[in-house]
Amino acid sequence: MNIRMVLLASAAAFAASTPVLAADAIVAAEPEPVEYVRVCDAYGTGYFYIPGTETCLKIEGYIRFQVDVGDQPLNGSASNDSDWDAKTRGQVQFTAKSDTEYGPLTGVIVMQFNADNATDQDAILDSAYLDVAGFRAGLFYSWWDDGLSGETDDIGSIVTLHNSLRYQYESGTFYAGISVDELEDGFFKSDEGPNNVGVAFGLGGTAGAFSYQITGGYDFDNEEGAVRAMGTVDIGPGTLGLAAVYSSGPNSYYSAAEWAVAAEYAIKATDKLKITPGVQYYGDVYTAGDDFSDNDAWKVGLTVDYQIVDNFYAKASVQYLDPDEGDDSTSGYFRLQRSF
């Protein structure tokens, strides 16, 4: 027997003596359960449950393109003598709600991004607050931010966004509340600085076709206060709006004039077109220093809103201001805005 035959015989004997093992079975892993996004209709449209939680979230915002025009530089730069300026804004808002034993717990974050050009841009926290059982705390807009629907009236604060603590009672057709505001921005007399404290109140409601609002505020550091009343009523093809404001002296709640009255008529020309002429008269306007002047001023304007399609509209506004002291001026803007 040669060597080749010996090797073949040995291999056959080894194979015969080795037990036959079955191949290991391949076991497929069980798929993990997937929780799809569920609609939350407890707080209105647009909310959905955050997966794995009972918290409802809504995401909304808008994109705005606007061109300002006027007799003076519009972007705050003394070196820019242009009488027009284009700018773009993007804003996104997150609203979270969940049920508690005290009622809905709400949290809101609003981020705003503004661009005057490729390099002159800013990102700001436009609002951030929590709300439960009528109490609100955080950075949010005061009642002084409200106004008539047009663009002519000038009856609000210079700065209406404050770190505040507020309580507001609400029923179906009435609300009333009080807030404590940190007035770090706004008007300061020559012997005062930032970090002022103010107390404001607001109440309002509706009665059929009539709506009303009364707002007040007292600036403790400037030791001055202001009060404002507004009302609207549906008349004919539009809504008539009237407003009056009085300030005991320049303060962070109102400093444009000692008193002012404003009126507008928002005409609903079609389902998509609204035309709003407006007028305002200022008595004893603020010019400089720590007190109002003896000069008056008046303002007239026109605002046109057009709904192009759902969630997309155009707005154009022009305003003419004529003060007793100083030159008259004309300003306005054209805006395109897409909301989501």
Side-chain angles (χ1 to χ4, degrees):
M1 183 180 297
N2 56 29
I3 297 299
R4 181 179 179 184
M5 293 299 297
V6 172
L7 292 176
L8 290 174
S10 299
F14 177 79
S17 62
T18 302
V20 178
L21 300 178
D24 293 337
I26 299 175
V27 179
E30 290 291 333
E32 296 183 2
V34 176
E35 183 176 356
Y36 294 96
V37 173
R38 296 177 294 146
V39 173
C40 173
D41 55 8
Y43 307 108
T45 59
Y47 286 91
F48 60 90
Y49 287 100
I50 299 175
T53 74
E54 292 301 315
T55 299
C56 297
L57 180 66
K58 182 177 183 178
I59 303 173
E60 56 189 321
Y62 65 81
I63 301 99
R64 174 186 295 175
F65 171 76
Q66 181 167 313
V67 178
D68 291 339
V69 296
D71 295 330
Q72 302 295 328
L74 298 168
N75 64 355
S77 173
S79 61
N80 185 358
D81 59 358
S82 174
D83 57 2
W84 68 276
D85 184 35
K87 54 191 178 183
T88 301
R89 171 182 295 175
Q91 179 169 303
V92 61
Q93 174 173 329
F94 302 90
T95 304
K97 290 181 176 288
S98 57
D99 287 330
T100 73
E101 58 185 307
Y102 305 104
L105 171 62
T106 302
V108 174
I109 298 175
V110 182
M111 294 297 300
Q112 188 179 104
F113 308 90
N114 299 289
D116 188 61
N117 51 55
T119 57
D120 185 6
Q121 302 185 19
D122 62 70
I124 63 172
L125 181 64
D126 194 58
S127 293
Y129 61 86
L130 54 89
D131 200 314
V132 63
F135 289 94
R136 177 174 294 184
L139 181 71
F140 56 90
Y141 286 92
S142 74
W143 296 292
W144 283 94
D145 189 64
D146 299 334
L148 300 176
S149 63
E151 300 296 311
T152 304
D153 59 290
D154 178 17
I155 53 176
S157 308
I158 299 175
V159 178
T160 57
L161 183 63
H162 312 295
N163 281 307
S164 303
L165 179 64
R166 184 179 88 179
Y167 175 76
Q168 180 166 303
Y169 166 80
E170 296 184 11
S171 66
T173 58
F174 176 77
Y175 75 87
I178 187 169
S179 69
V180 178
D181 308 319
E182 184 184 35
L183 305 176
E184 290 200 6
D185 300 313
F187 178 87
F188 307 106
K189 292 185 177 180
S190 56
D191 58 345
E192 297 292 345
N195 206 32
N196 291 5
V197 175
V199 173
F201 73 85
L203 62 90
T206 59
F210 176 70
S211 66
Y212 63 94
Q213 183 191 82
I214 300 174
T215 305
Y218 186 79
D219 183 338
F220 281 90
D221 280 25
N222 287 311
E223 297 182 342
E224 303 288 358
V227 63
R228 180 188 67 189
M230 294 191 300
T232 62
V233 61
D234 294 337
I235 299 177
T239 301
L240 176 66
L242 300 173
V245 58
Y246 169 77
S247 179
S248 64
N251 64 86
S252 291
Y253 287 111
Y254 193 70
S255 60
E258 183 177 12
W259 61 273
V261 291
E264 69 171 27
Y265 186 58
I267 305 167
K268 192 172 178 60
T270 68
D271 290 341
K272 293 187 175 183
L273 177 64
K274 183 175 73 170
I275 303 172
T276 308
V279 62
Q280 175 159 334
Y281 190 85
Y282 303 80
D284 299 335
V285 299
Y286 176 79
T287 54
D290 293 340
D291 207 349
F292 295 121
S293 70
D294 295 327
N295 302 314
D296 298 340
W298 62 274
K299 184 180 181 183
V300 63
L302 180 70
T303 302
V304 178
D305 294 271
Y306 184 73
Q307 190 80 32
I308 301 172
V309 295
D310 289 345
N311 302 318
F312 182 45
Y313 78 88
K315 180 191 286 281
S317 180
V318 59
Q319 310 297 327
Y320 175 77
L321 177 66
D322 185 9
D324 285 348
E325 291 289 332
D327 298 330
D328 57 351
S329 63
T330 302
S331 62
Y333 66 81
F334 172 74
R335 175 187 299 170
L336 292 172
Q337 182 165 312
R338 197 273 194 239
S339 302
F340 59 88

